[in-house]
Amino acid sequence: MTIKEIVSKQNQWNRMKSQFVLSRILIYFALMFAICSYKITSLNAESAPRKTFEEIKEEIAGYSEIAQQIINYTVYGIQQNRSYDRLALFVDTIGNRFSGSKNLEKAIQYMLKALSEDKQENVHLEPAKIPHWVRGEESAMMLEPKNYKIAILGLGSSIGTSPEGITAEVLVVNSFEELRSRANEAEGKIVVYNQPFISYGETVSYRFDGASEAAKVGAKASLIRSITPFSLYSPHTGWQGYQDNVTQIPTACITIEDAEMLRRMSDRGSKVVINLKMGAKTYPDVDSFNTVAEIIGSKHPEQVVLVSGHLDSWDVGSGAMDDGAGAFVSWEVLSIIRDLRLRPKRTIRLVLWTAEEPGGVGASQYYESHKADLPNFNLVMESDSGTFTPFGLRFTGTNQSRAIMKEIMKLLQPINATALYENGGGTDIDYWINAGVPGAALLVDTSKYFWFHHTDADTMTVQDPVQMKLCAAVWTVVSYVVADMDEILPR
């Protein structure tokens, strides 16, 4: 190659290199411009002044006509008893729906079809692994001082007994403190707790920890007075938890009547002997699903107001009150908004949780799948305290968001459901609330809720169509207004 050719090639290479460097520089500046533009836009969005509280009050007051329209349609309209009728058909068809059961599988498929036929949007299932515990045959027979059959309901996750059962003398105590003070009497006995009902939140610790506390002092089994203020000889079940590194013993609930009888016998100095048989077994976790449907928002479809109830129930009764009713008034929200041809700015998402009763198992897995989207969750709502006469809402959030919610509740003055109390959490939405998302729960008259809770008496007879439609009205007004306001609730 001649020198001239070499120089020509070198010049060509230098031109190519210069063009390459120039293009890289241009790309770099283009990227920097895009990043800066994004940051400026984000900064402007973040620093954009929120409405004053007076402006927000005025905006909310502007929803009074829509709120009245929702109330009129829900309480007095042609579909006023729809949530009750849907629930009755559901529980009469499926029955109870315990975690891991075939009935729960049927219920999920039933709702998937029903929501699709109701022309809801984005109807789908999201997978979860859930516990599978089966109570089996169970009985408790008093052998001394008389022959007497004691009504029991084994507690969830309890181990079973041998086929011949456990035959042992009874030690009756009224509290954990009394059990500890009489620990030297507990070895080899069946501990019976006769604790008084104070409140569900406080007294439920006996159901949850009673077996482990009895095992620590050498007991063979535990029988726990049902967690209820009232009984017509009905035992209540529920989930219990074994403590780590503590011997697992069988455990069940008995009625208030029998717990008090055993206490009286014990106080007289009578020797009480019981034979307890429980066929309870725990199987490997099974596949299940949370059931989802939506009304997709018109302006901010990625932002979500979540309404929910749990689809599973205990394996006694038909799960109408706990929590079929909560699930079905949540479904009613979507149906009402669709019927009235309303379209909020944000998405309203219905989630029917699976496996709430074993401790919010389905909701936990849903949260793990969606927590990356946490900033887009505006409000999470759960109905799981019955659908009796509504008073308003329980709410958890900042002082600013609470003030906004108080204004929204004023829209419910026509049905006298304007109260806003604290502690708006629930087993299935606490994951979001603990991460800072505002949360709400129906505030209803729960004076009779724990009469039926986790018993054979949880049937459609507990439900009242008037009370259900009032709850649906509260749920719909709140979810629609929050989803449609110009700004999200403050964090």
Side-chain angles (χ1 to χ4, degrees), residues 21 23 42 48 131 169 189 210-211 242 251-252 279 281 284 308 314 389 392 396 417 429 435 452 477 485:
V21 171
S23 66
S42 299
E169 189 177 347
K189 293 183 179 178
Y242 290 119
T251 183
K281 291 183 180 179
S308 68
W314 273 95
T389 301
T396 297
I429 61 172
F452 311 104
V477 168
M485 290 177 64

Side-chain angles (χ1 to χ4, degrees), residues 280-356:
K281 291 183 180 179
T282 297
Y283 296 94
D285 288 356
V286 301
D287 293 327
S288 188
F289 301 92
N290 295 306
T291 309
V292 182
E294 293 179 334
I295 292 177
I296 297 172
S298 61
K299 187 174 181 180
H300 306 290
E302 76 286 356
Q303 296 177 3
V304 174
V305 170
L306 186 149
V307 294
S308 68
H310 66 86
L311 205 56
D312 65 304
S313 73
W314 273 95
D315 58 340
V316 292
S318 60
M321 179 192 76
D322 183 20
D323 182 34
F328 275 62
V329 296
S330 295
W331 173 15
E332 189 68 10
V333 169
L334 270 60
S335 295
I336 292 166
I337 292 173
R338 187 268 327 279
D339 290 352
L340 295 177
R341 297 182 180 180
L342 299 172
R343 175 73 65 172
K345 297 181 180 72
R346 294 170 191 83
T347 294
I348 298 179
R349 179 178 299 164
L350 167 70
V351 182
L352 305 178
W353 309 108
T354 189
E356 184 274 346

Side-chain angles (χ1 to χ4, degrees), residues 306-473:
L306 186 149
V307 294
S308 68
H310 66 86
L311 205 56
D312 65 304
S313 73
W314 273 95
D315 58 340
V316 292
S318 60
M321 179 192 76
D322 183 20
D323 182 34
F328 275 62
V329 296
S330 295
W331 173 15
E332 189 68 10
V333 169
L334 270 60
S335 295
I336 292 166
I337 292 173
R338 187 268 327 279
D339 290 352
L340 295 177
R341 297 182 180 180
L342 299 172
R343 175 73 65 172
K345 297 181 180 72
R346 294 170 191 83
T347 294
I348 298 179
R349 179 178 299 164
L350 167 70
V351 182
L352 305 178
W353 309 108
T354 189
E356 184 274 346
E357 295 297 356
V361 178
S364 171
Q365 293 171 59
Y366 180 90
Y367 174 76
E368 289 300 319
S369 297
H370 292 271
K371 65 182 180 182
D373 203 30
L374 191 72
N376 282 325
F377 279 78
N378 186 16
L379 176 67
V380 289
M381 302 166 63
E382 176 183 3
S383 173
D384 190 19
S385 298
T387 52
F388 299 99
T389 301
F391 301 140
L393 290 184
R394 292 184 289 114
F395 179 77
T396 297
T398 64
N399 290 337
Q400 296 95 326
S401 59
R402 175 173 292 278
I404 292 169
M405 293 301 293
K406 282 184 178 179
E407 294 302 313
I408 293 173
M409 298 312 292
K410 291 178 181 179
L411 299 171
L412 291 159
Q413 181 63 49
I415 56 173
N416 196 29
T418 61
L420 190 73
Y421 285 18
E422 295 183 353
N423 301 319
T427 300
D428 289 320
I429 61 172
D430 279 346
Y431 305 100
W432 301 96
I433 292 172
N434 293 337
V437 178
L442 270 176
L443 174 66
V444 301
D445 178 5
T446 57
S447 58
K448 295 182 179 180
Y449 180 78
F450 292 106
W451 294 14
F452 311 104
H453 184 245
H454 296 181
T455 73
D456 279 308
D458 182 357
T459 67
M460 276 305 296
T461 302
V462 178
Q463 297 304 126
D464 182 291
V466 174
Q467 294 171 349
M468 279 193 73
K469 64 188 178 186
L470 289 171
C471 288

Side-chain angles (χ1 to χ4, degrees), residues 112-129:
L112 182 68
K113 180 180 178 183
L115 290 165
S116 297
E117 291 177 347
D118 195 37
K119 301 295 190 293
Q120 299 302 336
E121 299 171 299
N122 196 22
V123 177
H124 66 280
L125 302 178
E126 299 195 17
K129 283 280 188 181

